[in-house]
Amino acid sequence: LLFRVYDYDAESSGRIGNGADERFALSAFEIGFSDYVTAVIVSDFDSNWNSLQNELSEVYALTALASITDAVQALKETFGGSVIGNTDHVDPYNSTNNKHTLLIAGELDSHLFLVKCRLSVNPTSGCQLELSIRSNSNSVCESVMSVI
């Protein structure tokens, strides 16, 4: 970033001289989908889910993720928004825990969207995700779904 810096005279309330250029290095950064999502609090997920008109669903194989805990963390970071009802907490001590549902609420372009991530894990094939998204805007559903 390039700025022009001037000295300031408090008595005359004016600039002194022509100023000097100052450069500041900008670190590399990425803007992802979650940066556009506003977190919202939803007190009753099910009634809000039932009130939304548009739905998209798809099944994905998340072969790079070996556990449900890893998948939950990756999905939270990908979608942004608010996790509903502590559904991001997976019991690490339950060795038979091979299924989990993550619920997320967010707002995109002033439209509420809700996400249900039904996860299952198979030791040989990794995680499977059944993703369902609802919103009153079909384009918001499509935008959220395109993130995966």
Side-chain angles (χ1 to χ4, degrees), residues 37-54:
V37 173
T38 303
V40 295
I41 305 299
V42 173
S43 59
D44 187 351
F45 187 90
D46 290 334
S47 67
N48 280 283
W49 180 264
N50 292 330
S51 72
L52 298 172
Q53 299 168 353
N54 296 299

Side-chain angles (χ1 to χ4, degrees), residues 52-131:
L52 298 172
Q53 299 168 353
N54 296 299
E55 180 175 358
L56 290 178
S57 295
E58 194 70 48
V59 176
Y60 297 94
L62 306 177
T63 56
L65 300 170
S67 73
I68 288 178
T69 302
D70 292 343
V72 165
Q73 186 61 35
L75 291 167
K76 277 176 31 178
E77 291 173 5
T78 299
F79 291 121
S82 298
V83 173
I84 305 300
N86 292 323
T87 58
D88 59 334
H89 295 295
V90 179
D91 184 0
Y93 302 107
N94 185 354
S95 61
T96 61
N97 193 4
N98 59 0
K99 293 186 178 183
H100 185 77
T101 300
L102 172 67
L103 305 176
I104 296 174
E107 191 173 278
L108 181 66
D109 293 336
S110 300
H111 293 282
L112 174 68
F113 69 86
L114 299 176
V115 178
K116 278 187 187 179
C117 304
R118 291 184 187 97
L119 295 156
S120 60
V121 67
N122 181 317
T124 57
S125 61
C127 283
Q128 180 175 325
L129 167 65
E130 181 186 329
L131 179 62

